[in-house]
Amino acid sequence: MTVAANLEEIRTNIRQACNNSNRDPEEITIIGVTKYVTIERTEETIETGIKNLGENRLEGFLEKYNYIQDRATWHFIGTLQSRKVKEIIDKIDVVHSLDRKSLAKEINKRSKKPIDCFVQVNVSGEESKHGLAPDEVIFFIESIANYENIRIVGLMTMAPHVDDEETIRNIFRNLATLRNTVQEKNLEFAPCHYLSMGMSNDYKIAIEEGATHIRIGSKLVGSEN
Ligand SMILES: *Cc1c(COP(=O)(O)O)cnc(C)c1O
């Protein structure tokens, strides 16, 4: 399948999910996750009009960035080691995996401009998942108030790989509730308007529960070279 054909199907599903939940499809940003695919396929993705690309590993990101440069807005969606921050921070636009103070400190120190960050939350509580526990999020955000190069634009989570739709829906709903709590604090450095949630298998549910940024790899750009 071409990326364009995949995108058409995804847009149809987005419209439907927005219809179900009284939302405007314009509120949804599609992040094309290119971690599984080649440079050629990444170029094809950009040609469809997708401007936001996501990578989850440093090496994969740098390889793509070398070719694409700033023809895309770059989202770093994977675990980021503090000591690697300096290698990529001037090349990425958005970090989706802020989950600890040491990482915030390093980003703040190394970046020359404010970076939009999502705080990653482990809503499901699975041990294999990264992210802060929900009850740690407010304290964490308040603790980085004086980091002038960090802007908390939203919260991010990954749902578990389960078939039960209600389980997934509850996780997304809990993240939305937590986002509202942060928003109500009216922190200047943490507007926290956005929700980065939903991947190939669960983006429709995520949109119905308020996602503003969906991260789609296999069903948009493909899962192999
Ligand atoms: C790989 C990845 C995605 C995309 O996964 P698909 O299921 O292929 O859509 C989204 N978010 C993160 C954090 C990922 O690592």
Side-chain angles (χ1 to χ4, degrees), residues 43-86:
E43 290 284 8
E44 185 191 334
T45 304
I46 291 176
E47 278 163 24
T48 68
I50 294 279
K51 293 189 185 68
N52 293 275
L53 298 182
E55 281 282 334
N56 70 332
R57 287 176 60 251
L58 181 102
E59 295 75 18
F61 165 70
L62 287 173
E63 190 197 330
K64 301 282 176 11
Y65 181 85
N66 275 339
Y67 286 88
I68 311 289
Q69 303 274 329
D70 59 5
R71 288 184 289 126
T73 296
W74 289 102
H75 298 254
F76 198 83
I77 61 174
T79 311
L80 186 52
Q81 291 175 283
S82 297
R83 66 192 166 83
K84 304 278 190 178
V85 166
K86 60 176 178 296

Side-chain angles (χ1 to χ4, degrees), residues 98 134 174:
L98 181 61
N174 286 342

Side-chain angles (χ1 to χ4, degrees), residues 31-36 54-57 76-79 96-97 120 156-158 161 196 198-203 214-223:
I31 299 170
V33 176
T34 50
K35 67 187 186 192
Y36 308 111
E55 281 282 334
N56 70 332
R57 287 176 60 251
F76 198 83
I77 61 174
T79 311
H96 287 246
S97 48
Q120 185 169 354
M156 178 276 219
T157 201
M158 291 172 81
H161 293 285
S196 169
M199 309 179 9
S200 288
N201 290 323
D202 54 22
Y203 68 90
I214 56 176
R215 311 176 308 267
I216 308 194
S218 42
K219 291 217 175 135
L220 176 61
V221 301
S223 55

Side-chain angles (χ1 to χ4, degrees), residues 30-41:
I30 301 171
I31 299 170
V33 176
T34 50
K35 67 187 186 192
Y36 308 111
V37 302
T38 58
I39 303 284
E40 289 72 23
R41 191 74 170 171

Side-chain angles (χ1 to χ4, degrees), residues 65 85-93 104-116 147-151:
Y65 181 85
V85 166
K86 60 176 178 296
E87 295 179 42
I88 61 168
I89 200 64
D90 59 338
K91 302 179 175 67
I92 56 182
D93 302 287
K105 199 169 171 178
E106 188 66 12
I107 293 171
N108 186 57
K109 178 172 149 189
R110 300 288 180 182
S111 183
K112 296 180 192 76
K113 58 174 202 307
I115 295 279
D116 286 351
Y147 289 9
E148 57 201 22
N149 284 333
I150 304 250
R151 218 172 149 260

Side-chain angles (χ1 to χ4, degrees), residues 156-219:
M156 178 276 219
T157 201
M158 291 172 81
H161 293 285
V162 295
D163 288 330
D164 181 38
E165 198 181 301
E166 277 313 300
T167 303
I168 296 170
R169 190 176 291 282
N170 269 319
I171 284 167
F172 292 151
R173 194 168 289 177
N174 286 342
L175 193 73
T177 304
L178 188 55
R179 187 273 316 266
N180 296 346
T181 307
V182 179
Q183 245 183 347
E184 281 158 15
K185 296 207 166 273
N186 278 313
L187 303 168
E188 203 178 324
F189 72 99
C192 208
H193 292 312
Y194 301 141
L195 285 170
S196 169
M197 57 189 198
M199 309 179 9
S200 288
N201 290 323
D202 54 22
Y203 68 90
K204 287 170 261 181
I205 305 171
I207 289 169
E208 288 174 0
E209 297 303 327
T212 60
H213 293 65
I214 56 176
R215 311 176 308 267
I216 308 194
S218 42
K219 291 217 175 135

